[in-house]
Coordinates of all heavy atoms in Angstrom, one line a residue:
A1 N 4.0 5.1 15.8 CA 3.1 4.0 15.7 C 3.9 2.7 16.0 O 3.3 1.8 16.6 CB 2.5 3.9 14.3
L2 N 5.1 2.6 15.5 CA 5.9 1.3 15.8 C 6.2 1.1 17.2 O 6.1 0.0 17.8 CB 7.2 1.3 15.0 CG 7.1 1.2 13.5 CD1 8.4 1.3 12.8 CD2 6.4 -0.1 13.1
Q3 N 6.5 2.2 17.9 CA 6.8 2.1 19.4 C 5.5 1.7 20.1 O 5.5 0.8 21.0 CB 7.3 3.4 19.9 CG 8.7 3.7 19.5 CD 9.2 5.0 20.0 OE1 8.5 5.9 20.4 NE2 10.6 5.1 20.0
D4 N 4.4 2.3 19.8 CA 3.1 2.0 20.4 C 2.7 0.5 20.2 O 2.2 -0.2 21.0 CB 2.0 2.9 20.0 CG 2.2 4.3 20.5 OD1 3.0 4.5 21.4 OD2 1.5 5.2 19.9
A5 N 3.0 0.0 19.0 CA 2.6 -1.3 18.6 C 3.7 -2.3 19.0 O 3.4 -3.5 18.9 CB 2.4 -1.4 17.1
R6 N 4.8 -1.8 19.5 CA 6.0 -2.7 19.9 C 6.4 -3.6 18.7 O 6.7 -4.8 19.0 CB 5.6 -3.4 21.1 CG 5.4 -2.5 22.3 CD 5.2 -3.3 23.5 NE 5.0 -2.3 24.6 CZ 4.7 -2.6 25.8 NH1 4.5 -3.8 26.2 NH2 4.5 -1.7 26.7
G7 N 6.4 -3.2 17.5 CA 6.8 -4.0 16.4 C 6.0 -3.6 15.1 O 5.3 -2.6 15.1
I8 N 6.2 -4.4 14.2 CA 5.6 -4.2 12.8 C 4.3 -5.0 12.8 O 4.2 -6.1 13.2 CB 6.5 -4.8 11.7 CG1 7.9 -4.1 11.8 CG2 5.9 -4.7 10.4 CD1 7.9 -2.7 11.5
P9 N 3.2 -4.4 12.3 CA 2.0 -5.1 12.2 C 2.1 -6.2 11.2 O 2.8 -6.2 10.2 CB 1.0 -4.0 11.7 CG 1.8 -3.0 11.0 CD 3.1 -3.0 11.8
T10 N 1.3 -7.3 11.4 CA 1.4 -8.4 10.5 C 0.5 -8.2 9.3 O 0.6 -8.8 8.2 CB 1.0 -9.7 11.2 OG1 -0.3 -9.6 11.8 CG2 2.0 -10.1 12.2
L11 N -0.5 -7.3 9.4 CA -1.4 -6.9 8.4 C -1.7 -5.5 8.4 O -2.0 -4.9 9.5 CB -2.7 -7.7 8.5 CG -3.9 -7.3 7.6 CD1 -3.6 -7.6 6.2 CD2 -5.2 -7.9 8.1
L12 N -1.6 -4.8 7.3 CA -2.0 -3.4 7.2 C -3.2 -3.4 6.2 O -3.0 -3.8 5.0 CB -0.9 -2.5 6.7 CG -1.2 -1.1 6.5 CD1 -1.6 -0.4 7.8 CD2 0.0 -0.4 5.8
H13 N -4.3 -2.9 6.6 CA -5.5 -2.8 5.7 C -5.8 -1.3 5.7 O -6.1 -0.7 6.7 CB -6.7 -3.6 6.1 CG -7.9 -3.4 5.2 ND1 -8.0 -4.2 4.1 CD2 -8.8 -2.5 5.2 CE1 -9.1 -3.8 3.5 NE2 -9.6 -2.8 4.2
M14 N -5.9 -0.7 4.5 CA -6.2 0.7 4.3 C -7.3 0.9 3.3 O -7.3 0.2 2.3 CB -5.0 1.4 3.8 CG -3.8 1.5 4.8 SD -2.5 2.6 4.2 CE -3.4 4.2 4.3
N15 N -8.2 1.8 3.7 CA -9.2 2.3 2.7 C -8.6 3.6 2.2 O -8.5 4.6 3.0 CB -10.5 2.5 3.4 CG -11.2 1.2 3.7 OD1 -11.4 0.4 2.8 ND2 -11.6 1.1 5.0
C16 N -8.2 3.7 1.0 CA -7.7 4.9 0.4 C -8.8 5.8 -0.1 O -9.4 5.5 -1.1 CB -6.7 4.6 -0.8 SG -5.2 3.8 -0.2
E17 N -9.1 6.8 0.7 CA -10.2 7.7 0.4 C -9.7 9.1 0.2 O -10.6 10.0 0.1 CB -11.2 7.6 1.5 CG -11.8 6.2 1.7 CD -12.7 6.1 2.9 OE1 -12.7 7.0 3.7 OE2 -13.4 5.1 2.9
G18 N -8.5 9.4 0.2 CA -8.0 10.8 0.1 C -6.5 10.8 0.4 O -5.6 10.4 -0.4
C19 N -6.2 11.3 1.6 CA -4.8 11.5 2.0 C -4.0 10.2 2.1 O -2.8 10.1 2.1 CB -4.7 12.2 3.4 SG -5.3 11.3 4.8
E20 N -4.7 9.0 2.2 CA -4.0 7.7 2.3 C -3.2 7.4 1.0 O -2.2 6.7 1.1 CB -5.1 6.6 2.5 CG -5.8 6.7 3.8 CD -7.0 7.6 3.8 OE1 -7.3 8.2 2.8 OE2 -7.7 7.6 4.9
W21 N -3.6 8.0 -0.1 CA -2.9 7.8 -1.3 C -1.4 8.3 -1.1 O -0.5 7.6 -1.5 CB -3.5 8.5 -2.5 CG -4.8 7.9 -3.0 CD1 -6.0 8.1 -2.4 CD2 -5.0 7.1 -4.1 NE1 -7.0 7.4 -3.1 CE2 -6.4 6.8 -4.2 CE3 -4.2 6.5 -5.0 CZ2 -6.9 5.9 -5.1 CZ3 -4.7 5.7 -6.0 CH2 -6.1 5.4 -6.0
D22 N -1.3 9.5 -0.6 CA 0.0 10.1 -0.3 C 0.8 9.3 0.8 O 2.0 9.1 0.8 CB -0.1 11.5 0.0 CG -0.6 12.4 -1.2 OD1 -0.3 12.0 -2.3 OD2 -1.3 13.4 -0.9
F23 N 0.0 8.9 1.8 CA 0.6 8.1 2.9 C 1.3 6.9 2.4 O 2.4 6.6 2.8 CB -0.4 7.8 4.0 CG 0.1 6.8 5.0 CD1 0.9 7.2 6.0 CD2 -0.2 5.4 4.8 CE1 1.4 6.3 6.9 CE2 0.3 4.5 5.7 CZ 1.1 4.9 6.8
L24 N 0.7 6.1 1.5 CA 1.2 4.9 1.0 C 2.6 5.2 0.3 O 3.5 4.4 0.5 CB 0.3 4.2 0.0 CG -0.9 3.5 0.7 CD1 -1.9 3.0 -0.4 CD2 -0.4 2.3 1.4
V25 N 2.6 6.2 -0.5 CA 3.9 6.6 -1.2 C 5.0 6.9 -0.2 O 6.1 6.4 -0.2 CB 3.7 7.7 -2.2 CG1 5.0 8.2 -2.7 CG2 2.7 7.3 -3.3
D26 N 4.6 7.8 0.8 CA 5.6 8.1 1.8 C 6.0 7.0 2.7 O 7.2 6.8 3.0 CB 5.1 9.3 2.7 CG 4.9 10.6 2.0 OD1 5.6 10.7 0.9 OD2 4.2 11.5 2.5
A27 N 5.1 6.1 3.1 CA 5.4 5.0 3.9 C 6.3 4.0 3.2 O 7.2 3.4 3.8 CB 4.1 4.2 4.4
K28 N 6.2 3.9 1.9 CA 7.0 3.0 1.1 C 8.4 3.6 1.0 O 9.4 3.0 1.2 CB 6.4 2.7 -0.3 CG 7.3 1.8 -1.1 CD 7.4 0.5 -0.6 CE 8.2 -0.4 -1.5 NZ 9.0 -1.5 -0.8
K29 N 8.5 4.9 0.7 CA 9.8 5.6 0.5 C 10.6 5.6 1.8 O 11.8 5.5 1.7 CB 9.5 7.0 0.0 CG 9.1 7.1 -1.4 CD 8.9 8.6 -1.8 CE 8.5 8.6 -3.3 NZ 8.2 10.0 -3.7
H30 N 9.9 5.6 2.9 CA 10.6 5.6 4.2 C 10.9 4.2 4.8 O 11.4 4.0 5.9 CB 9.9 6.4 5.2 CG 9.9 7.9 4.9 ND1 11.1 8.7 5.0 CD2 9.0 8.7 4.3 CE1 10.8 9.9 4.6 NE2 9.6 10.0 4.2
G31 N 10.5 3.1 4.0 CA 10.8 1.8 4.4 C 9.8 1.1 5.3 O 10.0 -0.1 5.6
F32 N 8.8 1.8 5.8 CA 7.8 1.2 6.7 C 7.1 0.0 6.1 O 7.0 -1.1 6.7 CB 6.8 2.2 7.2 CG 5.7 1.6 8.0 CD1 5.9 1.2 9.3 CD2 4.4 1.4 7.5 CE1 4.9 0.6 10.1 CE2 3.4 0.9 8.2 CZ 3.6 0.5 9.6
L33 N 6.6 0.1 4.9 CA 5.8 -1.0 4.2 C 6.7 -2.2 3.9 O 6.2 -3.3 3.8 CB 5.1 -0.4 3.0 CG 4.1 0.6 3.2 CD1 3.5 1.0 1.9 CD2 3.0 0.2 4.2
D34 N 8.0 -2.0 3.8 CA 8.9 -3.1 3.4 C 8.8 -4.2 4.4 O 9.1 -5.4 4.1 CB 10.4 -2.6 3.3 CG 10.6 -1.6 2.2 OD1 9.7 -1.4 1.4 OD2 11.7 -1.0 2.2
H35 N 8.5 -3.9 5.7 CA 8.5 -4.9 6.7 C 7.1 -5.5 7.1 O 7.1 -6.4 7.8 CB 9.1 -4.3 8.0 CG 10.5 -3.7 7.8 ND1 11.6 -4.6 7.7 CD2 11.0 -2.5 7.5 CE1 12.7 -3.9 7.5 NE2 12.3 -2.6 7.4
V36 N 6.1 -5.0 6.5 CA 4.7 -5.4 6.8 C 4.5 -6.7 5.9 O 4.5 -6.6 4.7 CB 3.7 -4.3 6.5 CG1 2.3 -4.9 6.8 CG2 4.0 -3.1 7.3
P37 N 4.2 -7.8 6.5 CA 4.0 -9.0 5.7 C 2.9 -9.0 4.7 O 3.0 -9.5 3.6 CB 3.8 -10.1 6.8 CG 4.4 -9.6 8.0 CD 4.2 -8.1 7.9
V38 N 1.7 -8.5 5.1 CA 0.6 -8.4 4.3 C 0.0 -7.0 4.2 O -0.3 -6.4 5.3 CB -0.5 -9.5 4.7 CG1 -1.7 -9.4 3.8 CG2 0.0 -10.9 4.8
I39 N -0.2 -6.5 3.0 CA -0.8 -5.2 2.9 C -2.1 -5.3 2.0 O -2.0 -5.9 0.9 CB 0.2 -4.2 2.2 CG1 1.4 -4.1 3.0 CG2 -0.5 -2.9 1.9 CD1 2.6 -3.4 2.3
Q40 N -3.2 -4.9 2.5 CA -4.5 -4.9 1.8 C -4.9 -3.4 1.6 O -4.9 -2.7 2.5 CB -5.5 -5.7 2.5 CG -5.2 -7.1 2.6 CD -6.3 -7.9 3.3 OE1 -6.4 -9.1 3.1 NE2 -7.2 -7.3 4.1
I41 N -5.2 -3.1 0.4 CA -5.6 -1.7 0.0 C -6.9 -1.7 -0.7 O -7.1 -2.4 -1.7 CB -4.5 -1.0 -0.8 CG1 -3.1 -1.2 -0.2 CG2 -4.9 0.4 -1.1 CD1 -2.0 -0.9 -1.2
A42 N -7.9 -1.0 -0.1 CA -9.1 -0.8 -0.8 C -9.1 0.6 -1.4 O -8.9 1.6 -0.7 CB -10.3 -0.9 0.2
W43 N -9.3 0.7 -2.7 CA -9.1 1.9 -3.4 C -10.5 2.6 -3.5 O -11.4 2.0 -4.1 CB -8.6 1.7 -4.8 CG -7.3 1.0 -4.9 CD1 -7.2 -0.4 -5.2 CD2 -6.0 1.4 -4.5 NE1 -5.8 -0.7 -5.1 CE2 -5.1 0.3 -4.7 CE3 -5.5 2.7 -4.1 CZ2 -3.8 0.5 -4.4 CZ3 -4.2 2.8 -3.8 CH2 -3.3 1.7 -4.0
H44 N -10.7 3.8 -3.0 CA -11.9 4.5 -2.9 C -11.7 6.0 -3.3 O -10.6 6.4 -3.4 CB -12.6 4.5 -1.5 CG -12.9 3.2 -1.0 ND1 -13.9 2.4 -1.5 CD2 -12.3 2.5 0.0 CE1 -13.9 1.2 -0.8 NE2 -13.0 1.3 0.1
N45 N -12.8 6.6 -3.5 CA -12.8 8.1 -3.6 C -11.6 8.7 -4.4 O -10.5 8.8 -3.8 CB -12.9 8.7 -2.2 CG -13.3 10.2 -2.3 OD1 -13.1 10.9 -3.3 ND2 -13.8 10.8 -1.2
Y46 N -11.9 9.1 -5.5 CA -10.8 9.7 -6.3 C -10.6 11.2 -6.0 O -9.7 11.8 -6.5 CB -11.1 9.5 -7.8 CG -11.6 8.1 -8.1 CD1 -12.8 7.9 -8.7 CD2 -10.8 7.1 -7.7 CE1 -13.2 6.6 -8.9 CE2 -11.2 5.8 -7.9 CZ -12.4 5.5 -8.5 OH -12.8 4.2 -8.7
G47 N -11.5 11.8 -5.2 CA -11.3 13.1 -4.7 C -11.3 14.2 -5.8 O -11.8 13.9 -6.9
D48 N -10.8 15.3 -5.5 CA -10.8 16.4 -6.4 C -9.9 16.2 -7.6 O -10.0 16.9 -8.6 CB -10.5 17.7 -5.7 CG -11.5 18.1 -4.7 OD1 -12.7 17.7 -4.8 OD2 -11.1 18.9 -3.7
V49 N -8.9 15.3 -7.4 CA -7.9 15.1 -8.5 C -8.5 14.3 -9.6 O -8.0 14.4 -10.7 CB -6.6 14.4 -8.0 CG1 -6.0 15.3 -6.9 CG2 -6.9 13.1 -7.5
G50 N -9.5 13.6 -9.4 CA -10.2 12.9 -10.5 C -9.6 11.5 -10.8 O -8.5 11.2 -10.3
L51 N -10.2 10.7 -11.5 CA -9.8 9.4 -11.8 C -8.5 9.3 -12.6 O -7.6 8.5 -12.4 CB -10.9 8.6 -12.6 CG -10.6 7.2 -13.0 CD1 -10.4 6.4 -11.8 CD2 -11.8 6.6 -13.8
G52 N -8.3 10.2 -13.6 CA -7.1 10.2 -14.4 C -5.8 10.3 -13.6 O -4.9 9.6 -13.8
A53 N -5.8 11.2 -12.6 CA -4.6 11.4 -11.7 C -4.4 10.2 -10.8 O -3.3 9.7 -10.6 CB -4.7 12.7 -10.9
R54 N -5.5 9.6 -10.4 CA -5.4 8.4 -9.5 C -4.9 7.2 -10.3 O -4.3 6.4 -9.7 CB -6.8 8.1 -8.9 CG -7.3 9.1 -7.9 CD -6.4 9.3 -6.7 NE -7.0 10.1 -5.7 CZ -6.4 10.8 -4.8 NH1 -5.1 10.8 -4.8 NH2 -7.1 11.5 -3.9
V55 N -5.1 7.1 -11.6 CA -4.6 6.0 -12.4 C -3.0 6.1 -12.3 O -2.4 5.0 -12.0 CB -5.0 6.1 -13.8 CG1 -4.2 5.1 -14.7 CG2 -6.5 5.8 -13.9
W56 N -2.5 7.2 -12.4 CA -1.0 7.4 -12.3 C -0.5 7.0 -10.9 O 0.5 6.3 -10.8 CB -0.6 8.8 -12.7 CG -0.8 9.1 -14.1 CD1 -1.7 9.9 -14.7 CD2 0.0 8.6 -15.2 NE1 -1.6 9.9 -16.0 CE2 -0.6 9.1 -16.4 CE3 1.0 7.7 -15.3 CZ2 -0.1 8.8 -17.7 CZ3 1.5 7.3 -16.6 CH2 1.0 7.9 -17.7
Q57 N -1.2 7.5 -9.9 CA -0.9 7.1 -8.5 C -1.0 5.6 -8.2 O -0.1 5.1 -7.6 CB -1.7 7.9 -7.5 CG -1.3 9.4 -7.5 CD -2.2 10.1 -6.5 OE1 -3.5 10.1 -6.6 NE2 -1.6 10.8 -5.6
L58 N -2.0 5.0 -8.7 CA -2.2 3.6 -8.6 C -1.0 2.8 -9.2 O -0.4 1.9 -8.5 CB -3.5 3.1 -9.2 CG -3.8 1.6 -9.2 CD1 -4.0 1.1 -7.7 CD2 -5.0 1.3 -10.0
C59 N -0.6 3.2 -10.4 CA 0.5 2.6 -11.0 C 1.8 2.8 -10.2 O 2.6 1.9 -10.1 CB 0.7 3.1 -12.5 SG -0.6 2.6 -13.6
E60 N 2.0 4.0 -9.7 CA 3.2 4.3 -9.0 C 3.3 3.5 -7.7 O 4.3 2.9 -7.4 CB 3.2 5.8 -8.6 CG 4.4 6.2 -7.7 CD 4.3 7.6 -7.2 OE1 3.2 8.3 -7.3 OE2 5.4 8.1 -6.8
I61 N 2.1 3.4 -7.0 CA 2.1 2.6 -5.7 C 2.3 1.1 -6.0 O 3.1 0.5 -5.3 CB 0.8 2.9 -5.0 CG1 0.7 4.3 -4.5 CG2 0.6 1.9 -3.9 CD1 -0.6 4.8 -4.0
R62 N 1.7 0.6 -7.0 CA 1.9 -0.8 -7.4 C 3.3 -1.1 -7.8 O 3.9 -2.1 -7.4 CB 0.9 -1.2 -8.5 CG -0.5 -1.5 -8.0 CD -1.4 -1.9 -9.1 NE -2.7 -2.4 -8.6 CZ -3.7 -2.8 -9.4 NH1 -3.5 -2.7 -10.7 NH2 -4.8 -3.2 -8.9
E63 N 3.9 -0.2 -8.5 CA 5.3 -0.4 -8.9 C 6.2 -0.4 -7.7 O 7.1 -1.3 -7.6 CB 5.7 0.7 -9.9 CG 7.2 0.7 -10.3 CD 7.6 -0.5 -11.1 OE1 6.7 -1.1 -11.7 OE2 8.8 -0.9 -11.0
M64 N 6.0 0.5 -6.8 CA 6.8 0.5 -5.6 C 6.6 -0.7 -4.7 O 7.6 -1.3 -4.3 CB 6.5 1.8 -4.7 CG 7.0 3.1 -5.3 SD 6.9 4.5 -4.2 CE 5.3 4.4 -3.6
L65 N 5.4 -1.1 -4.5 CA 5.1 -2.3 -3.7 C 5.7 -3.6 -4.4 O 6.1 -4.5 -3.7 CB 3.6 -2.5 -3.5 CG 3.0 -1.6 -2.5 CD1 1.5 -1.7 -2.5 CD2 3.6 -1.8 -1.1
S66 N 5.8 -3.6 -5.7 CA 6.2 -4.8 -6.4 C 7.7 -5.1 -6.1 O 8.2 -6.2 -6.4 CB 6.0 -4.7 -7.9 OG 6.8 -3.8 -8.5
K67 N 8.4 -4.2 -5.6 CA 9.9 -4.4 -5.3 C 10.1 -5.3 -4.1 O 11.0 -6.0 -4.0 CB 10.6 -3.1 -5.1 CG 10.6 -2.2 -6.4 CD 11.3 -0.9 -6.1 CE 11.4 0.0 -7.3 NZ 11.0 -0.3 -8.6
T68 N 9.1 -5.3 -3.2 CA 9.2 -6.0 -1.9 C 8.1 -7.0 -1.7 O 8.2 -7.9 -0.9 CB 9.3 -5.1 -0.7 OG1 8.2 -4.2 -0.7 CG2 10.6 -4.3 -0.7
H69 N 7.0 -6.8 -2.4 CA 5.8 -7.7 -2.2 C 5.3 -8.2 -3.6 O 5.6 -7.7 -4.6 CB 4.7 -6.8 -1.6 CG 4.9 -6.4 -0.2 ND1 5.9 -5.4 0.1 CD2 4.4 -6.8 1.0 CE1 5.9 -5.3 1.4 NE2 5.0 -6.1 2.0
T70 N 4.5 -9.2 -3.5 CA 3.8 -9.8 -4.7 C 2.3 -9.6 -4.5 O 1.8 -9.9 -3.4 CB 4.1 -11.3 -4.8 OG1 5.5 -11.5 -4.9 CG2 3.4 -11.9 -6.0
M71 N 1.7 -9.1 -5.6 CA 0.2 -8.9 -5.5 C -0.4 -10.3 -5.7 O -0.3 -10.9 -6.8 CB -0.2 -7.9 -6.5 CG -1.7 -7.6 -6.4 SD -2.4 -6.2 -7.4 CE -1.8 -6.6 -9.0
S72 N -1.0 -10.8 -4.6 CA -1.7 -12.1 -4.7 C -3.1 -12.0 -5.3 O -3.6 -13.0 -5.8 CB -1.7 -12.8 -3.3 OG -2.4 -12.0 -2.4
S73 N -3.7 -10.9 -5.2 CA -5.0 -10.6 -5.8 C -5.2 -9.1 -5.9 O -4.6 -8.4 -5.1 CB -6.1 -11.3 -5.1 OG -6.2 -10.8 -3.8
G74 N -6.0 -8.7 -6.9 CA -6.2 -7.3 -7.0 C -7.2 -6.9 -8.1 O -7.4 -7.7 -9.0
L75 N -7.7 -5.8 -8.0 CA -8.7 -5.3 -8.9 C -8.5 -3.8 -8.9 O -8.7 -3.1 -7.9 CB -10.1 -5.6 -8.5 CG -11.2 -5.1 -9.4 CD1 -11.1 -5.7 -10.8 CD2 -12.6 -5.4 -8.8
A76 N -8.1 -3.2 -10.1 CA -7.9 -1.8 -10.1 C -9.1 -1.0 -9.7 O -10.2 -1.3 -10.1 CB -7.5 -1.3 -11.6
F77 N -8.9 -0.1 -8.7 CA -9.9 0.7 -8.1 C -11.0 -0.2 -7.4 O -12.1 0.2 -7.3 CB -10.5 1.7 -9.1 CG -9.5 2.6 -9.6 CD1 -9.1 2.5 -10.9 CD2 -8.9 3.5 -8.8 CE1 -8.1 3.3 -11.4 CE2 -7.9 4.4 -9.3 CZ -7.5 4.3 -10.6
G78 N -10.6 -1.3 -7.0 CA -11.4 -2.2 -6.1 C -10.5 -2.4 -4.9 O -10.6 -1.6 -3.9
W79 N -9.7 -3.5 -4.9 CA -8.8 -3.7 -3.8 C -7.7 -4.6 -4.2 O -7.8 -5.3 -5.2 CB -9.5 -4.3 -2.6 CG -10.1 -5.7 -2.8 CD1 -11.3 -6.0 -3.4 CD2 -9.4 -7.0 -2.6 NE1 -11.4 -7.4 -3.5 CE2 -10.3 -8.0 -3.0 CE3 -8.2 -7.3 -2.0 CZ2 -10.0 -9.3 -2.8 CZ3 -7.9 -8.6 -1.8 CH2 -8.8 -9.6 -2.3
D80 N -6.6 -4.5 -3.5 CA -5.3 -5.3 -3.7 C -4.9 -6.0 -2.4 O -5.2 -5.4 -1.3 CB -4.2 -4.4 -4.1 CG -4.2 -3.7 -5.5 OD1 -5.2 -4.0 -6.2 OD2 -3.3 -3.0 -5.8
R81 N -4.3 -7.1 -2.6 CA -3.7 -7.8 -1.5 C -2.2 -8.1 -1.9 O -2.0 -8.7 -2.9 CB -4.4 -9.1 -1.1 CG -3.7 -9.8 0.1 CD -4.5 -11.1 0.4 NE -3.8 -11.9 1.3 CZ -3.9 -11.9 2.7 NH1 -4.8 -11.1 3.2 NH2 -3.2 -12.7 3.4
W82 N -1.3 -7.6 -1.1 CA 0.1 -7.8 -1.4 C 0.8 -8.6 -0.2 O 0.5 -8.4 0.9 CB 0.8 -6.4 -1.4 CG 0.4 -5.6 -2.6 CD1 -0.8 -4.8 -2.7 CD2 1.0 -5.5 -3.8 NE1 -0.8 -4.2 -3.9 CE2 0.3 -4.6 -4.6 CE3 2.2 -6.0 -4.4 CZ2 0.6 -4.2 -5.9 CZ3 2.6 -5.7 -5.6 CH2 1.8 -4.8 -6.4
E83 N 1.6 -9.6 -0.6 CA 2.3 -10.4 0.4 C 3.8 -10.2 0.2 O 4.3 -10.3 -1.0 CB 1.9 -11.9 0.2 CG 0.4 -12.0 0.5 CD -0.1 -13.4 0.2 OE1 0.8 -14.3 -0.1 OE2 -1.3 -13.6 0.3
R84 N 4.5 -10.0 1.3 CA 6.0 -9.8 1.2 C 6.7 -11.0 0.6 O 6.4 -12.1 0.8 CB 6.5 -9.5 2.6 CG 7.9 -8.9 2.6 CD 8.4 -8.5 4.0 NE 8.3 -9.7 4.8 CZ 8.1 -9.7 6.1 NH1 7.9 -8.5 6.7 NH2 8.1 -10.8 6.8
K85 N 7.6 -10.7 -0.3 CA 8.4 -11.7 -1.0 C 9.2 -12.6 -0.1 O 9.3 -13.8 -0.4 CB 9.2 -11.1 -2.1 CG 8.4 -10.4 -3.2 CD 9.3 -9.8 -4.3 CE 8.5 -9.2 -5.4 NZ 9.3 -8.6 -6.4
S86 N 9.9 -12.0 0.9 CA 10.7 -12.8 1.7 C 10.8 -12.1 3.1 O 10.4 -10.9 3.2 CB 12.1 -12.9 1.2 OG 12.7 -11.6 1.0
K87 N 11.3 -12.8 4.1 CA 11.4 -12.2 5.4 C 12.5 -11.1 5.3 O 13.5 -11.2 4.7 CB 11.9 -13.3 6.4 CG 10.9 -14.4 6.6 CD 10.2 -14.2 7.8 CE 9.3 -15.4 8.0 NZ 8.3 -15.1 9.0
M88 N 12.1 -10.0 6.0 CA 13.0 -8.8 6.1 C 13.6 -8.8 7.5 O 12.9 -9.2 8.5 CB 12.2 -7.5 5.8 CG 11.5 -7.5 4.5 SD 12.5 -7.1 3.1 CE 13.0 -5.4 3.5
R89 N 14.8 -8.4 7.6 CA 15.4 -8.3 9.0 C 15.4 -6.9 9.4 O 15.4 -6.0 8.8 CB 16.8 -8.8 9.0 CG 16.8 -10.3 8.7 CD 18.2 -10.9 8.7 NE 18.2 -12.3 8.5 CZ 18.9 -13.1 9.1 NH1 19.8 -12.7 10.0 NH2 18.8 -14.4 8.8

């Protein structure tokens, strides 16, 4: 995706409706999200795992994002907007 886009997107907006929950964790662990200036996440569909499991995942994702981004607005199981704390090289 980075080669096709010829760089890092300035905004990533995701509707988390299933597999996107896992994608966010993997994208953060591999450093992709560290370079995206603004991340917006709309939390949807708790799937077969149910709301209880998604609460833990939401906390995990927010904790990971907080290392490089600041949540400028958010609503649990609504949507979040995260802005990168500083320029990354």
